[in-house]
Amino acid sequence: MTTALDAVTAALSSVAPDGDLSRLDDDLYEELGLDSMDLLNLAAAIAECTGVEIAERDYGELRTLRAVAESVAARQH
Amino acid sequence: METAALASTGRIVTGDDILAMVAAATTPGTTPAERPPVAPPAPPRPADGGDRMRRAIAATMARAWTEVPHYHAAMRIDVGATIAHLAVRNEGVPPARRVLAAAVFLRAAALALRAVPELCGWWRNGAFVPGDGIHVATVVALRRGGLLAPVVRDAADKDLDAIMADLRDLVTRARNGRLRASEVDGATFTVTDLGETGADSLSPIIHPPQVAILGLGAVRPEPWATADGLLGVRPVLHATLAGDHRATDGRIGSRYLLALSDRLQEVDW
């Protein structure tokens, strides 16, 4: 989980470099203002650094940093 | 904006360069006769980049609002076929190669201009000048506020993957402040897409000297009367076309929206 969280945080900071990524349960859309292009870039960055490809139909799960990290961790095993 | 000279140097331009060009392009009174009798005081130099961008947007939009007589034509479009086809297309594809609905809409908007070229070009010196191609600007909202409108050049000639690649590259670099001057120059039409978290619809303002802009709202499920007289629920896109009434009339705007709707029913990609 920690590794997944690190990877996801790194991916997200590349997508939203000026966002505050310290709060794991903030809504990514509302707090960081992510849009569909950001989500695509986030999924691509995660795929690149963890090998986990999150399906488009699962994008709905990705509301918070914690949710994304858990989703990636679950798929790594 | 006349940015060819700057663009030809090939260097990376900063947001400030672009803003300076916007400001230059929107300063009224380029001939002595048009100049106001008393020069307005120079605006104080804002320290903050966002403030400066706001000022440039304010100048452009105020000019558009006061000089360009707008008409707006709106249409609800059933995009069920597009959305379903897109989901299948993106299934099992690595994230970096997936296509967003925004790219499909931009391509359809460009192809519709082939059918209605009256909306593709500029209003210059009291007359419509046809564009030198279908170069579609796409409005990018920046996270800290403000907008940039990088251009997908020859958009009607590109396939969906090429449009998506352009869009992803331009949006990413717009947000990182890494666009070249040439990339925000020369648009012959603009699309502003609020995306899935946006409002249902918007009535956009034309970016002069262009003569039209297409505003797209969020795609949401809505009641929809089907051909057999029943009521169904479909994913619906609200498309609003703003036209410069000096160049065209509402009938042309309507024709454009019908062409757009037709293009969005074709899933040939």
Side-chain angles (χ1 to χ4, degrees):
Chain A
M1 171 70 193
T2 309
T3 334
L5 181 60
D6 289 346
V8 169
T9 304
L12 189 55
S13 64
S14 71
V15 171
D18 46 357
D20 175 5
L21 305 181
S22 61
R23 291 187 300 249
L24 297 184
D25 295 305
D26 274 3
D27 188 294
L28 296 177
Y29 298 86
E30 285 168 21
E31 301 298 327
L32 293 183
L34 295 195
D35 63 15
S36 54
M37 185 67 80
D38 296 319
L39 210 52
L40 184 143
N41 284 328
L42 177 62
I46 288 171
E48 199 173 311
C49 63
T50 69
V52 173
E53 290 181 0
I54 300 170
E56 204 176 45
R57 69 183 121 80
D58 296 330
Y59 280 4
E61 297 171 13
L62 315 180
R63 297 296 306 193
T64 66
L65 193 49
R66 187 189 303 279
V68 181
E70 285 173 356
S71 175
V72 169
R75 286 168 170 83
Q76 279 176 321
H77 299 298
Chain B
M1 282 183 272
E2 301 299 332
T3 54
L6 186 51
S8 67
T9 65
R11 73 176 174 90
I12 298 280
V13 295
T14 64
D16 283 351
D17 288 334
I18 293 168
L19 294 178
M21 290 182 303
V22 171
T26 52
T27 302
T30 49
T31 68
E34 290 173 13
R35 221 169 268 150
V38 179
R45 287 191 64 80
D48 174 57
D51 209 43
R52 202 186 300 224
M53 173 170 282
R54 199 67 252 163
R55 206 177 294 268
I57 294 169
T60 305
M61 289 299 108
R63 176 182 159 213
W65 190 251
T66 52
E67 289 182 11
V68 181
H70 285 62
Y71 67 82
H72 287 94
M75 184 175 278
R76 293 166 75 225
I77 299 174
D78 174 358
V79 290
T82 292
I83 299 299
H85 189 64
L86 199 54
V88 171
R89 194 182 202 274
N90 286 339
E91 188 71 42
V93 170
R97 297 219 322 269
R98 290 176 196 159
V99 170
L100 296 177
V104 180
F105 298 161
L106 194 144
R107 178 167 176 266
L111 290 172
L113 283 172
R114 277 197 182 144
V116 190
E118 295 93 332
L119 296 178
C120 184
W122 309 283
W123 184 260
R124 282 191 177 138
N125 303 318
F128 174 69
V129 178
D132 57 351
I134 297 178
H135 310 310
V136 180
T138 179
V139 176
V140 180
L142 304 182
R143 241 179 280 285
R144 291 176 188 168
L147 306 165
L148 282 171
V151 183
V152 178
R153 298 191 69 82
D154 297 309
D157 297 331
K158 290 179 174 162
D159 67 14
L160 190 57
D161 284 319
I163 299 258
M164 182 61 204
D166 277 10
L167 206 53
R168 189 171 174 217
D169 174 51
L170 291 170
V171 170
T172 304
R173 286 191 295 111
R175 289 187 170 151
N176 295 340
R178 305 285 297 172
L179 285 176
R180 291 170 192 277
S182 58
E183 290 171 320
V184 292
D185 192 26
T188 54
F189 186 81
T190 297
V191 174
T192 177
D193 184 348
L194 292 178
E196 57 200 43
T197 55
D200 293 339
S201 68
L202 83 162
S203 300
I205 300 178
I206 294 164
H207 190 161
Q210 292 163 49
V211 297
I213 180 169
L214 177 67
L216 302 176
V219 174
R220 297 209 167 90
E222 284 189 12
W224 184 266
T226 60
D228 48 7
L230 298 174
L231 198 57
V233 175
R234 305 289 295 165
V236 172
L237 172 69
H238 289 249
T240 308
L241 187 281
D244 183 335
H245 221 323
R246 297 171 302 182
T248 63
D249 304 322
R251 207 159 66 90
I252 300 289
S254 293
R255 246 176 54 206
Y256 176 80
L257 290 171
L258 284 166
L260 176 71
S261 177
D262 285 349
R263 295 292 82 76
L264 285 173
Q265 307 315 313
E266 296 164 355
V267 282
D268 54 349
W269 32 273

